[in-house]
Amino acid sequence: MATVRAVEAEASIPFVLTPQRPLLVVDAYVNEQGPFRFAIDTGASGTVLAARLAKRLRLRRHRKNATAIGVGGRVTAQFCAVESIRVGAVELVDATVVVLSLAPVNKVVRPRLHGVVGHDILRECTLTIDFPNGRLRLQRSVPDVRP
């Protein structure tokens, strides 16, 4: 079962605001590899990996397809399991994420995206955006309880 955990008490990380669309882009690590460029999307129900990145990381996709609906319309998506996705002080572990082509988005957005951080990570976090300094603080809202 997927869980969100704090890997640090707090971390402030730099972000880039894309000039073409108002997207916050941060570095993320997938299965301890990266950094990869991920957009922060508070409206995305789940975290998304670009199909190219999933292939590059040799992630096994589930056979089941789904339809994803976003601002750009409907697209066919797949799912794959990841050990971890880390952004700043927060990490999603043992999760199933959406895999789809980000080519339509990457036609209009620079820098090119490798993924999207969605609600499955953000739902348990406090997100603080410091626009003047280009910093984002993402921390787990409820501290981890360790046995």
Side-chain angles (χ1 to χ4, degrees), residues 29-53:
Y29 296 81
V30 179
N31 294 347
E32 299 185 17
Q33 296 182 58
F36 302 109
R37 291 178 303 277
F38 275 57
I40 301 290
D41 186 349
T42 59
S45 59
T47 293
V48 174
L49 290 183
R52 286 182 149 187
L53 179 59

Side-chain angles (χ1 to χ4, degrees), residues 75-91:
V75 294
T76 299
Q78 294 179 311
F79 300 94
C80 73
V82 294
E83 293 173 19
S84 65
I85 297 180
R86 181 172 51 87
V87 180
V90 176
E91 184 175 48

Side-chain angles (χ1 to χ4, degrees), residues 94-127:
D94 298 325
T96 298
V97 296
V98 176
V99 176
L100 53 82
S101 172
L102 293 181
V105 174
N106 285 330
K107 285 182 181 177
V108 295
V109 171
R110 294 291 184 269
R112 291 179 182 262
L113 300 178
H114 295 109
V116 175
V117 175
H119 182 256
D120 51 353
I121 294 176
L122 299 174
R123 71 175 177 237
E124 296 189 33
C125 298
T126 299
L127 181 72

